[in-house]
Amino acid sequence: MASGKLAGTCLTFHHDGKLRNLQTELVSIRPFSALEEPNRAVFKDAGDGDYVIVTKETIFHPQGGGQPSDEGTMTHNKTISINIRAARMDVVHDGLVLHLGRFEDPSAAAKLQPGDVVEQNIDSEKRLLYSRLHTAGHVLGSAVRRLVEKEIEGFDELKASHFPDSAACEFRGLIEGKWKQPIQDCVDEYIRRAMPVEIDFWTEDDFRREGLERLIPDRSLLPPGESRFRVVRIVGAEVYPCGGTHVDTTDLCGVTTVKKIGRSKGISRVSYTVA
């Protein structure tokens, strides 16, 4: 049910984030119990009855970069259906996307073989929510940098979470509570201006040309077959190296509310919601 050495999964959503369904080729399928221990560990709620599927291409965003995994289905010949509830990057074999799912009819698992064509369908409502949250996180980061970069010693943007129940951006440096309303006002301005959100692919020289050497990612983060880094530009604000999904303009984030600024051990955490 699985082939030998597998080529990396083509991340189709990196190039067309509007696709909600895609026909692609099944590369491998294994019971969850047959997965390597490091890969089993990345799926927290999997167990008996679950399968892990690799396809040649995918429109499922695997959890990472602060963004939750897409969910949806894979079907074959309209007779076999698998409910996909999580996707993760393979931690054993570079560049593979692992789709965790369960067959609607467990007996159908034996009928699916490498080389079969499957249709991927993602949950559009969840994808839109995650895209709104991710873009809103970059809007928030842009607003914070605009306001405090020169005001706070050692300032830098760190990691972020774009999960619905824990969305927040972290920054190096202590951002005092007095900045909460100015940050909210700047976020509101960026949302109101409906700033375009553009996807591009840059070389290291492109970063240098833009004066953004500080953002050059490690080349080990490049997806299979890619020689350029994927970037997201909020036109009129910031550029971010980013593999996530996004809305087309900032107003599509919806009402974005700065909830709280927390501070601990030299790190500030600015939480937010979208509605």
Side-chain angles (χ1 to χ4, degrees):
M1 299 180 76
S3 60
K5 181 173 176 56
L6 304 179
T9 308
C10 176
L11 306 180
T12 303
F13 66 88
H14 267 189
H15 301 272
D16 187 348
K18 291 183 170 59
L19 285 176
R20 295 297 181 265
N21 52 73
L22 173 74
Q23 287 197 342
T24 186
E25 182 180 318
L26 180 71
V27 174
S28 71
I29 176 170
R30 286 184 284 174
F32 176 75
S33 59
L35 211 58
E36 304 90 344
E37 173 55 36
N39 278 325
R40 290 201 301 270
V42 303
F43 293 106
K44 303 302 184 185
D45 62 347
D48 293 343
D50 287 318
Y51 284 79
V52 173
I53 298 156
V54 175
T55 52
K56 188 174 181 180
E57 306 155 284
T58 189
I59 54 172
F60 284 82
H61 179 279
Q63 182 170 304
Q67 180 171 331
S69 162
D70 280 322
E71 300 177 29
T73 62
M74 287 193 203
T75 58
H76 173 63
N77 284 344
K78 298 183 179 179
T79 58
I80 297 175
S81 182
I82 313 161
N83 294 314
I84 303 297
R85 69 176 187 275
R88 301 286 190 276
M89 294 304 301
D90 191 313
V91 298
V92 176
H93 308 98
D94 288 344
L96 295 181
V97 175
L98 307 178
H99 306 83
L100 179 76
R102 186 165 293 203
F103 285 83
E104 288 191 358
D105 175 5
S107 68
K111 302 175 184 177
L112 203 56
Q113 299 294 327
D116 286 344
V117 173
V118 294
E119 181 173 298
Q120 298 179 344
N121 292 274
I122 59 171
D123 184 318
S124 295
E125 288 188 11
K126 287 185 177 178
R127 163 63 73 83
L128 178 58
L129 174 60
Y130 300 157
S131 299
R132 291 171 57 219
L133 281 160
H134 204 148
T135 304
H138 288 334
V139 167
L140 173 62
S142 297
V144 172
R145 178 173 289 278
R146 170 182 163 183
L147 291 168
V148 309
E149 180 177 20
K150 297 179 180 178
E151 304 292 330
I152 295 177
E153 185 177 356
F155 173 84
D156 197 7
E157 293 182 66
L158 304 175
K159 62 182 181 179
S161 167
H162 311 296
F163 282 69
D165 57 350
S166 58
C169 299
E170 293 188 3
F171 305 89
R172 181 176 290 112
L174 297 180
I175 303 175
E176 297 178 15
K178 68 179 182 180
W179 289 105
K180 182 173 181 289
Q181 190 57 51
I183 292 170
Q184 181 67 70
D185 293 342
C186 189
V187 167
D188 291 345
E189 175 194 342
Y190 284 176
I191 298 292
R192 184 173 57 251
R193 284 168 56 187
M195 303 160 81
V197 180
E198 298 179 349
I199 306 296
D200 203 353
F201 292 85
W202 284 9
T203 65
E204 293 178 8
D205 286 341
D206 291 325
F207 284 95
R208 295 186 183 98
R209 187 187 65 249
E210 297 275 343
L212 296 172
E213 293 91 340
R214 63 181 172 82
L215 296 179
I216 297 176
D218 190 295
R219 292 194 66 81
S220 66
L221 300 176
L222 282 169
E226 295 286 354
S227 60
R228 297 177 297 165
F229 299 100
R230 187 174 187 265
V231 298
V232 174
R233 181 195 292 273
I234 300 176
V235 178
E238 295 291 320
V239 174
Y240 292 92
C242 182
T245 65
H246 294 276
V247 292
D248 289 338
T249 52
T250 55
D251 57 308
L252 297 177
C253 294
V255 177
T256 302
T257 302
V258 179
K259 290 178 59 182
K260 180 182 178 181
I261 302 177
R263 295 170 293 277
S264 178
K265 299 180 180 179
I267 303 298
S268 297
R269 187 173 190 271
V270 184
S271 57
Y272 69 97
T273 60
V274 298

